[in-house]
Amino acid sequence: MASTTLELNGLNFNLTEEHMAVRDAARDFAQNELLPGVIERDSQAKFPTEQVRRMGELGFLGMMVSPDYGGGGMDTVSYVIAMEEISRVDASSSVIMSVNNSLVCWGLEMFGTEAQKQNYLTRLATGEVIGAFCLSEPEAGSDATSQHTTATDQGDHYLLNGTKNWITNGGSAAVYLVMAQTDAEKRHRGINCLIVEKDQPGFVVGKKEDKLGIRASDTHSLMFTDVKVPKENRIGDDGFGFKFAMSTLNGGRIGIAAQALGIAAGAYELALAYAQERKSFGKKIFEHQAIQFKLAEMATKIEAARLLVYKAARLKDEHKDYVQAAAMAKLFASDVAMWATTEAVQIHGGYGYVKEFHVERMMRDAKITQIYEGTSEIQKLVIARELVK
Ligand SMILES: Cc1cc2nc3c(=O)[nH]c(=O)nc-3n(C[C@H](O)[C@H](O)[C@H](O)COP(=O)(O)OP(=O)(O)OC[C@H]3O[C@@H](n4cnc5c(N)ncnc54)[C@H](O)[C@@H]3O)c2cc1C
């Protein structure tokens, strides 16, 4: 990257011209191509097929993947910048982007074999196909060690049986990274991650969830009955699957933290603009100190969240330990998103409660950031564990 240093919000983050170009491209895309129709896609729970295709074309689906495999070769800071911009407008599209970038592409590039990268990563990074990350099950959420899906060793292949729940991109993906138990006696050390293609016999995409928020993203359960997966589709050594899942989720949390930051920032901007237009008692509501205080507090907490998100991204880029920083960023940014979007609805009064003004959608979208890729309670466990490491 060029060494030019630019500023963001008055503070020198050592952002490069490339970072700023990513921000401008993501902002233009969000305003021109995501904003139109975002309300309808949400209310009809309509998957943003065309918008995802464009994200692929613009390089947003494999941002950190090496150009050798069709990616953008960018750093994590670029990725969080793009995630924030896209999430300001459409958190459904940004979760599709986040899963493909952080959980699927990153995991494959980091731990996959050369053949797996050639077969799968190249198509995923360009957005020719999208991927899904399948860890959660009906009885395995926060306690992800409790896998009931099995991958039985049959010599040259595994037989995969079980059900996965809550899988983002579950219906639209073509490539699935599926965690499954091979050796129950070894507990989490007996879990493997298998690459599964959608057209495999015995693989059924189950019902699409009717959700509170991020409604345009598709969340499905998946059923596997004697699905034959060749051994060469296992990622890493035998028993590496749980470590694979935890490593990818550590990085994934930075993406979700950036998503939360974007949702908060988008709601704040709408509330600030509205407060300068709407009048009550003969003056703009911004001139009521109670409203100013809300906006001042929103701006402060959003800035604090941004610092945590950038810190986690920067640590990852510098190959330093980012586990605690990522958990802190997600914990804090998701709380800020939930709180700031609720305040944005409040500032809009009755208009905030209807779809046309966007902030009610943002409030619904914000909630999931406290739940997926580790609930807020789990983030606190991660942070606490790191305190005494
Ligand atoms: C829209 C959506 C998309 C998702 N996408 C994916 C995906 O793509 N891939 C995937 O694998 N999963 C996905 N998930 C699943 C998500 O990661 C889980 O829902 C989440 O990890 C929580 O698991 P759970 O729902 O089983 O809740 P539980 O684990 O049952 O938790 C219930 C409550 O108990 C709390 N709790 C549990 N254990 C502890 C503890 N030890 N200490 C304190 N509190 C605790 C939790 O914080 C929570 O408040 C998605 C979920 C949703 C809703």
Side-chain angles (χ1 to χ4, degrees):
M1 287 209 168
S3 58
T4 320
T5 295
L6 291 174
E7 293 192 343
L8 185 76
N9 296 334
L11 190 69
N12 178 352
F13 278 96
N14 284 329
L15 296 183
T16 63
E17 280 176 359
E18 282 88 340
H19 289 134
M20 304 311 274
V22 166
R23 187 188 67 173
D24 293 347
R27 190 168 286 182
D28 285 353
F29 170 67
Q31 283 303 317
N32 298 327
E33 303 189 48
L34 292 178
L35 186 58
V38 68
I39 294 172
E40 292 72 24
R41 293 195 300 274
D42 168 73
S43 61
Q44 296 162 18
K46 187 170 180 285
F47 187 82
T49 306
E50 173 56 19
Q51 291 75 9
V52 171
R53 192 190 64 74
R54 284 286 293 147
M55 283 203 281
E57 246 174 39
L58 294 168
F60 291 128
L61 292 180
M63 293 184 70
M64 295 172 285
V65 175
S66 156
D68 296 343
Y69 302 108
M74 289 180 227
D75 59 8
T76 318
V77 171
S78 301
Y79 170 56
V80 298
I81 288 171
M83 276 296 295
E84 178 184 342
E85 291 302 327
I86 287 171
S87 306
R88 278 175 188 239
V89 174
D90 183 359
S92 287
S93 292
S94 72
V95 70
I96 299 163
M97 169 178 165
S98 172
V99 166
N100 204 67
N101 275 281
S102 320
L103 299 187
V104 180
C105 285
W106 187 84
L108 265 173
E109 184 163 27
M110 198 65 171
F111 302 111
T113 62
E114 186 57 30
Q116 289 168 351
K117 292 179 200 176
Q118 294 294 345
N119 281 345
Y120 299 107
L121 183 57
T122 45
R123 289 187 288 143
L124 288 158
T126 54
E128 183 187 326
V129 296
I130 59 170
F133 177 87
C134 316
L135 177 65
S136 301
E137 298 186 357
E139 291 169 68
S142 301
D143 180 8
T145 56
S146 172
Q147 295 284 307
H148 286 73
T149 299
T150 54
T152 312
D153 194 333
Q154 301 285 313
D156 64 343
H157 66 275
Y158 291 98
L159 276 186
L160 187 63
N161 281 285
T163 300
K164 292 289 171 182
N165 250 25
W166 315 115
I167 305 305
T168 302
N169 299 342
S172 48
V175 176
Y176 297 76
L177 305 187
V178 183
M179 272 30 85
Q181 189 81 52
T182 295
D183 187 342
E185 274 181 18
K186 290 189 184 159
R187 301 173 52 165
H188 67 280
R189 290 191 183 84
I191 293 172
N192 279 309
C193 175
L194 306 180
I195 306 170
V196 180
E197 295 180 51
K198 189 188 241 155
D199 53 10
Q200 289 286 95
F203 177 12
V204 174
V205 175
K207 82 173 165 75
K208 180 175 167 177
E209 303 295 345
D210 188 5
K211 307 191 294 290
L212 172 73
I214 55 164
R215 287 176 54 76
S217 70
D218 67 325
T219 314
H220 287 259
S221 50
L222 308 174
M223 276 78 76
F224 303 96
T225 309
D226 286 339
V227 176
K228 198 173 166 183
V229 185
K231 275 254 168 93
E232 58 261 30
N233 277 23
R234 186 185 72 210
I235 299 184
D237 294 335
D238 186 26
F240 180 66
F242 189 72
K243 203 162 178 208
F244 170 84
M246 293 304 112
S247 302
T248 49
L249 284 170
N250 280 333
R253 281 167 192 156
I254 303 175
I256 300 304
Q259 180 189 43
L261 167 65
I263 297 170
Y268 159 75
E269 277 172 8
L270 290 174
L272 179 63
Y274 187 80
Q276 293 173 87
E277 283 166 18
R278 178 73 176 169
K279 289 188 176 150
S280 79
F281 299 92
K283 53 183 174 185
K284 291 174 179 167
I285 61 168
F286 183 78
E287 288 161 26
H288 299 301
Q289 201 176 51
I291 301 293
Q292 283 184 11
F293 278 13
K294 282 187 193 301
L295 288 159
E297 212 177 330
M298 285 160 87
T300 305
K301 288 186 179 170
I302 290 167
E303 199 65 5
R306 185 173 290 113
L307 289 169
L308 285 175
V309 172
Y310 275 59
K311 177 186 168 184
R314 188 71 85 189
L315 284 173
K316 183 161 178 283
D317 285 336
E318 291 177 3
H319 307 290
K320 295 181 179 149
D321 187 349
Y322 58 88
V323 173
Q324 189 185 54
M328 284 180 172
K330 182 179 183 288
L331 174 67
F332 188 76
S334 62
D335 282 353
V336 169
M338 197 63 247
W339 170 82
T341 52
T342 310
E343 289 293 63
V345 170
Q346 192 68 17
I347 290 170
H348 279 74
Y351 295 95
Y353 206 66
V354 295
K355 294 192 184 299
E356 194 183 334
F357 286 78
H358 297 282
V359 285
E360 66 82 34
R361 184 185 75 254
M362 294 170 166
M363 189 176 94
R364 289 185 285 106
D365 287 348
K367 184 62 204 166
I368 192 59
T369 65
Q370 295 176 316
I371 296 174
Y372 57 19
E373 300 203 21
T375 62
S376 292
E377 290 76 13
I378 295 302
Q379 303 310 319
K380 287 179 197 174
L381 290 180
V382 172
I383 294 163
R385 200 172 53 218
E386 295 289 313
L387 293 177
V388 290
K389 203 166 82 171

